[in-house]
Each structure stands twice: as structure tokens, then as C-alpha cells.
Amino acid sequence: MKIWFKEIKKGKTICDCIIDADENDTRTHKVLNSLDKAAHKLDLAVPIWLDNNINEFKRNAKTRFTQDSFVEEITFDYLEMAVVEED
């Protein structure tokens, strides 16, 4: 599984990364571990999964984490997370 993370500000990508998830994990673990790795790589706090993030990700394999999902202040509008390749 590959997941693409993008920091978006004013409609433009300002920073991004793709995380390759470990093939031996469950889908849930792949997603959560990839989010942790991306947050570390992008030098961010790990965002909190809100109900709308969970529901959106289940429907579309994609979600956006806005300021509401972060404890500290962010310098972009949202962090987008999207599955680009499924195992």
C-alpha cells in the first residue's frame, strides 16, 4: 500500500511525501503507521482522527486533516491523505 500525504495551502501543495506501508500489517495498521511516518517526515504532530476523517477515509480512501485535528498550530490549510496504491 502506498499513501500520499500533501500539505495544502491556498489550494497549492507546499510539501508532500509518499509512504510505502509494510505488506505484513493489517490495512488499519498500514494506515495508522503510515500517518505516523508521514508526520515524522513532514515534521508535524500526528493528527487526531475525528469521526468525519474516519467516515471520509472509509468511503473514499482519502481524507483531510484540518486545524481541528492538530493540537498545535499548523502553517497550512490541511493535510490530505490518500491511498494511491492498494495491496
Side-chain angles (χ1 to χ4, degrees):
M1 174 183 277
K2 291 184 184 201
I3 305 177
W4 189 12
F5 295 86
K6 300 186 281 184
E7 290 179 14
I8 307 292
K9 185 172 186 172
K10 296 182 181 178
K12 296 185 179 188
T13 301
I14 59 171
C15 192
D16 72 329
C17 70
I18 294 179
I19 302 296
D20 287 316
D22 183 7
E23 295 178 13
N24 298 323
D25 277 342
T26 64
R27 186 173 196 268
T28 301
H29 283 121
K30 289 176 187 178
V31 170
L32 296 176
N33 291 337
S34 294
L35 182 57
D36 286 344
K37 288 177 185 176
H40 179 73
K41 191 170 187 175
L42 297 170
D43 196 26
L44 300 172
V46 178
I48 299 165
W49 283 87
L50 302 175
D51 288 340
N52 64 318
N53 297 114
I54 295 167
N55 294 332
E56 185 178 36
F57 194 79
K58 284 180 182 177
R59 278 193 314 273
N60 306 315
K62 179 178 178 179
T63 191
R64 292 179 176 179
F65 296 99
T66 59
Q67 180 63 63
D68 293 341
S69 294
F70 291 90
V71 175
E72 57 191 40
E73 200 70 26
I74 58 174
T75 59
F76 48 90
D77 298 328
Y78 59 88
L79 175 68
E80 185 174 277
M81 171 183 185
V83 174
V84 292
E85 185 178 298
E86 194 84 43
D87 293 337

